[in-house]
């Protein structure tokens, strides 16, 4: 039983850092969900590294097991529950091992993990990671340990994250935390708190540290990066009360992105996630200005129907979204776009669904993240709306959305055949250790024979073939622009 459980867990997303000399305790940490969770796990590992913990992939030797959780859909929570049961099966054999749950699911369920389910020793919300050393002392003294207090200030800008399971080429840098957009289907504002931005100099310093260590690509992260606004402290909503000096020296996302690309001209930059209502043309113009800002935007829309968008409390209409997309293509014709889409939101009609399909056809997305609506406890939709679209209808509409996206993805990928694209080599190809795998500026995976190149090289690749999601080609030399 023990060997079976360990083998199953090893197939998950366990994360490992470089070992710090002198640390004696072992931490097994696993992350689920969005890129922000993986970034947060690096912060947690950094905090615990100073407490004597090195990470491990061997569950059986762990003194502390942490799972960083996602609450965006019920399936994600059920996966975490299964994991916790597996951890506890090992804990019966190794009773000194402690188990903790972090992140959004910890914030949503709070004391229930300790009082009702009794499957963890420690519950830590996304803004309380600095309190983990104190919580571990509570656990050692036999008391339940919980901190799920949301903060209006915490950005972890003063912590240098360790890089877990890193390829040494690409890394995440968080620039905002929380979200002020109260979409009726979403738990994020309740699990991650109000939106606040990180001081720009700390962001640039973290990027400098990554550059000094040889990293070549950074993804700037936030629940909503386009609303980044630093004016010397406080929440975004308080900006109107700021002094004239603070307003005059404020840094918005377009300015931050421009500073990153200018200060590190040989490093490539991406960002995620954007919100249509907050994306300004200045950001697109900065992207067009700099070669080292990737020509890819993840631009969630959720529905193509203005009526459903209003029910979702999305602060844009179908028409406004399409106008933004048209402007993006006008300024950056070679751009790639991706979407988030929900099928079967409450009250969605067949006409609403057709609006979604027609919007997708207009936008010509390269990638998509598509789901059937899942009612999330605590959201306005769960409290006020009946989940009235039958499951079989949700599944049929979702399949139609996926089918359309697959067709568009193939057409969008085909546009690169015959072209030379710039690729940052990241790792071995999944299918062959004789081929490299990397991504072009538009975020499409490219594979090609290794020859004498290495991870971290920017290489020009002539594309000869493609699948729906992958470009296939041959290297024709180093990228002179990024050398």
């Amino acid at each position: 039983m023990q060997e079976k459980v360990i083998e199953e867990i090893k197939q998950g997303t366990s994360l490992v850092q470089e070992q710090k000399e002198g640390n004696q305790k072992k931490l097994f940490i696993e992350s689920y969900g969005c890129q922000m969770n993986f970034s947060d796990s690096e912060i947690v590992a950094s905090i615990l590294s100073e407490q004597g913990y090195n990470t491990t992939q061997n569950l059986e030797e762990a003194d502390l097991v942490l799972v960083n959780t996602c609450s965006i859909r019920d399936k994600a929570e059920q996966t975490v529950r299964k994991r916790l049961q597996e951890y506890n099966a090992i804990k019966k054999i190794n009773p000194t091992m402690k188990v903790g749950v972090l992140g959004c699911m910890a914030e949503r369920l709070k004391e229930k993990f300790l009082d009702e389910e009794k499957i963890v020793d420690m519950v830590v919300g996304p803004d309380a990671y600095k309190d983990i050393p104190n919580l571990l002392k509570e656990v050692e003294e036999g008391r339940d340990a919980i901190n799920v207090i949301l903060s209006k200030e915490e950005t972890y800008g003063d912590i240098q994250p360790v890089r877990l399971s890193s390829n040494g080429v690409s890394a995440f840098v968080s620039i905002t935390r929380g979200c002020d957009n109260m979409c009726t289907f979403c738990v994020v504002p309740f699990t991650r708190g109000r939106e606040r931005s990180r001081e720009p100099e700390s962001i640039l310093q973290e990027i400098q540290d990554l550059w000094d260590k040889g990293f070549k690509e950074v993804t700037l992260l936030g629940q909503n990066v386009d609303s980044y606004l630093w004016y010397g402290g406080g929440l975004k909503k308080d900006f109107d009360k700021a002094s004239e000096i603070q307003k005059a020296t404020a840094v918005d996302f377009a300015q931050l992105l421009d500073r990153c690309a200018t200060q590190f001209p040989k490093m490539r930059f991406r960002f995620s996630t954007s919100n249509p209502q907050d994306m300004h043309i200045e950001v697109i113009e900065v992207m067009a200005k700099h070669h080292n800002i990737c020509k890819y935007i993840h631009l969630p829309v959720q529905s193509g129907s203005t009526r459903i968008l209003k029910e979702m409390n999305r602060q844009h209409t179908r028409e406004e979204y399409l106008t933004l997309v048209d402007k993006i293509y006008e300024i950056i014709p070679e751009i790639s776009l991706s979407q988030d889409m929900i099928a079967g939101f409450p009250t969605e009609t067949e006409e609403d669904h057709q609006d979604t399909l027609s919007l997708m056809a207009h936008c010509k997305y390269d990638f998509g993240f598509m789901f059937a609506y899942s009612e999330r406890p605590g959201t306005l939709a769960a409290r006020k709306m009946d989940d009235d679209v039958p499951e079989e209808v949700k599944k049929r509409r979702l399949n139609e959305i996926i089918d359309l996206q697959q067709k568009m993805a193939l057409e969008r990928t085909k546009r690169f055949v015959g072209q030379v694209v710039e690729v940052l080599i990241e790792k071995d190809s999944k299918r062959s250790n004789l081929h490299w795998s990397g991504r072009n500026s538009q975020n499409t995976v490219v594979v090609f024979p290794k020859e004498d190149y290495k991870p971290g090289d920017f290489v020009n690749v002539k594309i000869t073939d493609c699948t729906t999601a992958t470009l296939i080609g041959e290297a024709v030399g180093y990228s002179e622009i990024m050398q």
Side-chain angles (χ1 to χ4, degrees), residues 365-366 404-414 468:
Y365 297 109
D366 291 71
L404 176 57
Q405 181 58 58
Q406 289 288 91
K407 292 176 184 176
M408 289 192 302
L410 181 59
E411 288 303 311
R412 295 292 289 170
T413 308
K414 282 181 178 178
T468 301

Side-chain angles (χ1 to χ4, degrees), residues 1-27:
M1 173 64 183
Q2 180 181 11
E3 289 76 10
K4 179 177 183 294
V5 172
I6 291 172
E7 185 59 34
E8 288 177 354
I9 294 177
K10 283 181 178 177
Q11 295 171 7
T13 49
S14 60
L15 306 170
V16 179
Q17 70 189 82
E18 293 183 5
Q19 303 299 290
K20 183 176 180 179
E21 189 175 349
N23 283 358
Q24 300 297 316
K25 292 176 282 188
K26 298 293 185 179
L27 165 67

Side-chain angles (χ1 to χ4, degrees), residues 16-43:
V16 179
Q17 70 189 82
E18 293 183 5
Q19 303 299 290
K20 183 176 180 179
E21 189 175 349
N23 283 358
Q24 300 297 316
K25 292 176 282 188
K26 298 293 185 179
L27 165 67
F28 181 95
I29 185 167
E30 195 167 31
S31 290
Y32 293 89
C34 66
Q35 293 170 328
M36 184 67 77
N37 272 9
F38 287 83
S39 179
D40 279 1
S41 290
E42 294 181 336
I43 290 170

Side-chain angles (χ1 to χ4, degrees), residues 279-297:
M279 173 159 269
H280 303 296
I281 295 304
E282 289 81 4
V283 173
I284 311 305
E285 291 171 342
V286 169
M287 293 180 69
K289 171 183 171 184
H290 293 282
H291 174 82
N292 60 326
I293 300 178
C294 292
K295 305 306 184 275
Y296 165 69
I297 302 173

Side-chain angles (χ1 to χ4, degrees), residues 350 353-354 357 396-404:
E350 199 60 35
H353 173 59
Q354 292 302 319
L357 295 176
R396 190 259 302 167
R397 290 176 183 171
L398 177 60
N399 286 334
E400 290 177 4
I401 289 170
I402 292 172
D403 288 345
L404 176 57

Side-chain angles (χ1 to χ4, degrees), residues 2 5 11 35-36 45 47 71 73 91 93 112 150 157 192 242 260 277 289 320 350 369 381 384 426 435 448 453 479:
Q2 180 181 11
V5 172
Q11 295 171 7
Q35 293 170 328
M36 184 67 77
I47 292 169
S71 278
R73 282 173 295 278
K91 190 176 179 181
I93 302 169
K112 288 184 179 179
L150 291 174
R192 285 192 170 268
C260 290
Q277 73 200 47
K289 171 183 171 184
E320 289 168 340
E350 199 60 35
F369 302 89
K384 302 289 186 180
E426 297 177 7
H435 289 73
F448 58 95
Y453 302 107
S479 167

